[in-house]
Amino acid sequence: MATTLDVHVRMCNQEIVIFDLEVKAFIQDIRDCSGPLSTLTELNAKVKEKFHHLRLRIQELEQMAKEQDKESEKQALLQEVENHKKQLLSNQTAWRKANLACKIAIDNLEKAELLQGGDMRQRKTTKETLAQTSSNITESLMGISRMMSQQVRQSEEAMHILANSSRTILDANEEFKSMSGTIQLGRKLITKYNRRELTDKLLIFLALALFLATVLYILKKRLFPFL
């Protein structure tokens, strides 16, 4: 019976050591975990399972220690049980710290991704704003170009109108010069006619005077022959 108990004690101790190592390995995996949160949840589930088996083996070892016939062996096994319990508590503390560190790392990573996503959205928004601004500037330049083209056409039309007006003015000036010559010629003719009329009047007056003198002379000779 004592031999069988000793075998069970050794097997229980070995299993406790194995579960303890597995717990420590999973705790290290949790420390190294950077997400996602589902991975952390899976690791915690495995750690809980190992802790459950570890507690059962420690309880079995404690029960076998109480069943020892010799007090010295009983106290020795109880001391081992106490050491395993302390190690269990130490693993639980390390597990909590590893979870805290992992959650902080995941939160920081998510914040970084959010910030990066915000920067990408901001860069996208900036690109869209720049593209819209460039499009607005292009449309403004095209509008200015159209206005300048319209102004050029209006200026050309104004130049054509001014050229036609200039030709009309030149033609009118030539007509005025021609009319001025005609007027001057008419004036000369009128002046000449006036002079001719004066001469004619003078000749008529002289002719009339000569006629009257002639009549008077004839009358004198006939009426007063003795004179």
Side-chain angles (χ1 to χ4, degrees):
M1 182 69 181
T3 303
T4 303
L5 185 60
D6 291 339
V7 171
H8 284 303
V9 168
R10 285 196 298 273
M11 289 178 62
C12 188
N13 270 319
Q14 289 176 359
E15 290 179 354
I16 288 173
V17 171
I18 291 172
F19 286 131
D20 180 72
L21 291 174
E22 289 177 347
V23 166
K24 285 180 169 60
F26 282 123
I27 291 174
Q28 186 61 43
D29 290 341
I30 292 174
R31 290 195 187 98
D32 298 336
C33 177
S34 58
L37 193 60
S38 58
T39 302
L40 177 61
T41 302
E42 292 177 1
L43 290 172
N44 281 324
K46 293 177 180 179
V47 172
K48 288 179 181 179
E49 182 183 359
K50 298 302 178 182
F51 268 127
H52 175 70
H53 292 301
L54 183 58
R55 288 192 190 92
L56 290 179
R57 295 299 177 271
I58 292 174
Q59 291 174 1
E60 289 179 7
L61 183 62
E62 186 176 12
Q63 184 62 35
M64 286 186 286
K66 292 178 180 179
E67 293 176 359
Q68 291 293 326
D69 296 332
K70 293 182 179 179
E71 186 64 25
S72 59
E73 293 179 357
K74 178 180 179 180
Q75 293 300 323
L77 285 176
L78 289 175
Q79 185 61 43
E80 289 183 13
V81 169
E82 188 65 25
N83 293 335
H84 290 316
K85 288 182 178 180
K86 289 180 179 179
Q87 188 61 45
L88 177 65
L89 293 175
S90 177
N91 287 336
Q92 289 176 336
T93 302
W95 181 35
R96 286 193 295 270
K97 290 181 179 180
N99 267 281
L100 180 61
C102 182
K103 289 180 180 179
I104 292 174
I106 293 174
D107 289 341
N108 291 335
L109 183 61
E110 289 178 351
K111 289 179 181 178
E113 289 177 351
L114 287 175
L115 290 174
Q116 185 177 4
D119 292 339
M120 291 178 66
R121 288 192 297 271
Q122 185 176 4
R123 286 195 294 271
K124 183 178 179 181
T125 303
T126 302
K127 289 181 179 178
E128 291 177 352
T129 303
L130 289 174
Q132 183 64 34
T133 303
S134 177
S135 177
N136 293 336
I137 292 173
T138 302
E139 291 180 359
S140 298
L141 290 175
M142 291 178 66
I144 292 171
S145 178
R146 288 192 295 268
M147 290 177 62
M148 290 179 68
S149 178
Q150 185 177 1
Q151 290 293 330
V152 169
R153 286 195 299 270
Q154 291 178 354
S155 298
E156 290 177 352
E157 292 175 357
M159 289 296 293
H160 288 305
I161 293 172
L162 288 174
N164 293 331
S165 299
S166 298
R167 284 193 295 271
T168 303
I169 292 171
L170 290 174
D171 294 339
N173 190 23
E174 292 295 329
E175 291 179 0
F176 288 152
K177 286 181 180 180
S178 178
M179 291 176 64
S180 177
T182 304
I183 291 171
Q184 289 179 0
L185 180 60
R187 183 183 299 169
K188 288 180 181 179
L189 291 173
I190 291 171
T191 303
K192 185 177 181 180
Y193 176 77
N194 288 334
R195 289 177 182 175
R196 182 79 174 269
E197 184 181 5
L198 180 61
T199 302
D200 291 342
K201 286 180 180 180
L202 182 59
L203 290 173
I204 291 170
F205 178 76
L206 290 175
L208 183 61
L210 180 60
F211 175 74
L212 290 174
T214 303
V215 171
L216 288 175
Y217 178 75
I218 293 171
L219 289 173
K220 180 181 175 183
K221 287 295 183 179
R222 290 188 177 182
L223 291 176
F224 306 98
F226 54 89
L227 292 175

